[in-house]
Amino acid sequence: MRIILLGPPGSGKGTQAQLLVQRYGIVQLSTGEMLRAAVAAGTPVGLKAKEIMAGGGLVPDDVVVGIISDRIDQPDARNGFILDGFPRTVGQAEALDELLKHKHLKLDAVIELRVNESALLSRVETRVAQMRERGEEVRVDDTPEVLTKRLASYRSQTEPLIHYYSERRKLSTIDGMMAIDEVTRAIHRQLLALGAVEPKTHARSAAKAAPAKKAKAAKKKAAKKPAKAAKRPSKSTKTAKKAAKQAVKGAKKAVKKTVKKAAKKTAKTAVKKASKKGPKKVTKKRAKR
Ligand code: ADP
């Protein structure tokens, strides 16, 4: 499955991409992440991108198209991928169409996460606060000023993609203002409707739950085992039974048939009582005899 997540900064693309990765076993290809890694590593691409990113502008199309093209060729992307933050311009979308055609790959869907612009700033502020709390490094472009610029870039350069993919009948718009799991469910329903995922992907989460079920069953079994063992006669009860049997043998030898029967009966009752009452009383009985 190959999908694109489209939406302004703070719309939840990254969050949803991670959840979809877990659910469908595909990879997330985030140009933002890749570029940040390039900046951190100081690669030629990173050096080119650093200032542009810090200012909230867009890195040249050829740079990101090159990165994505290489990444799609990696073995882990063979199963499918989610493009997060790419394409961001009509030029990138056209380049993506070309490279997918060249690689004989098909795009299944473009999911647009629609959110109120008024919510975006507070969402990014929350993200920044949470990252600080966790002691993580905060993105240099996650400031109100740069965010305003990123939003402007989105509106002027990325929003036209909504029309681009809608014309090509690829676009699905999801309400990104719902709770995280509701958005995930809505995306899944959309992918099902498009035939991009098999209904059995429902079962994937069930399959995940299966080991837990198995473990539960094993626990039950284990709990039953000691119970069974408890039912098994104890060592001393066995000894009592043996003794009773020997008593029968002795009785057989000593008395006539009728007496034998009586002795057998007594012995059998002793066995029954022995196994019922436990070893202590049996010992008493044996002592009496
Ligand atoms: P967000 O979606 O929150 O704006 P990203 O992590 O996707 O953040 O991107 C961070 C920055 O990386 C962008 O503001 C931009 O400078 C650069 N960038 C990421 N993807 C692209 C792209 N496809 N084309 C151009 N620049 C990009």
Side-chain angles (χ1 to χ4, degrees), residues 50-218:
K50 193 175 178 179
E51 296 306 317
I52 305 171
M53 289 174 77
L58 291 188
V59 175
D61 286 355
D62 59 324
V63 174
V64 281
V65 171
I67 294 180
I68 282 291
S69 179
D70 290 347
R71 189 62 189 84
I72 288 175
D73 290 337
Q74 301 295 311
D76 63 345
R78 221 171 276 155
N79 210 14
F81 49 78
I82 301 166
L83 291 173
D84 156 22
F86 179 91
R88 245 176 166 93
T89 65
V90 171
Q92 290 178 17
E94 287 167 347
L96 177 66
D97 282 347
E98 266 310 302
L99 70 87
L100 287 180
K101 203 167 133 190
H102 186 71
K103 295 180 202 286
H104 304 288
L105 299 173
K106 195 183 124 268
L107 190 65
D108 292 289
V110 178
I111 308 281
E112 181 210 355
L113 296 178
R114 191 163 284 183
V115 286
N116 300 340
E117 263 199 24
S118 54
L120 297 177
L121 185 61
S122 66
R123 276 194 182 187
V124 174
E125 277 171 355
T126 309
R127 176 166 82 193
V128 168
Q130 285 170 344
M131 286 175 88
R132 287 222 169 90
E133 245 172 51
R134 291 196 295 262
E136 289 168 12
E137 208 176 311
V138 174
R139 279 167 54 170
V140 287
D141 59 348
D142 265 353
T143 62
E145 305 78 52
V146 182
L147 186 70
T148 310
K149 281 193 190 155
R150 281 159 59 200
L151 266 174
S153 302
Y154 180 79
R155 253 182 259 126
S156 63
Q157 295 180 269
T158 312
E159 238 170 31
L161 291 183
I162 292 170
H163 180 65
Y164 181 92
Y165 286 117
S166 157
E167 260 192 340
R168 285 158 181 76
R169 306 208 165 276
K170 291 276 182 206
L171 191 79
S172 304
T173 301
I174 305 278
D175 176 9
M177 295 306 292
M178 300 185 290
I180 291 175
D181 59 334
E182 281 175 53
V183 175
T184 314
R185 275 201 293 275
I187 295 176
H188 181 69
R189 274 198 300 273
Q190 192 57 39
L191 293 174
L192 270 177
L194 290 170
V197 290
E198 304 264 322
K200 72 171 187 244
T201 19
H202 276 304
R204 199 186 152 86
S205 31
K208 266 189 182 171
K213 261 190 192 169
K214 267 186 193 169
K216 234 183 177 178

Side-chain angles (χ1 to χ4, degrees), residues 2-24:
R2 290 164 214 97
I3 56 176
I4 292 174
L5 281 183
L6 205 60
S11 58
K13 297 186 303 279
T15 307
Q16 292 302 328
Q18 276 171 23
L19 294 167
L20 296 169
V21 160
Q22 284 168 20
R23 184 164 202 166
Y24 305 120

Side-chain angles (χ1 to χ4, degrees), residues 282-289:
V282 175
T283 337
K284 259 188 190 172
K285 277 203 171 168
R286 273 170 73 197
K288 268 185 193 170
R289 255 187 235 138

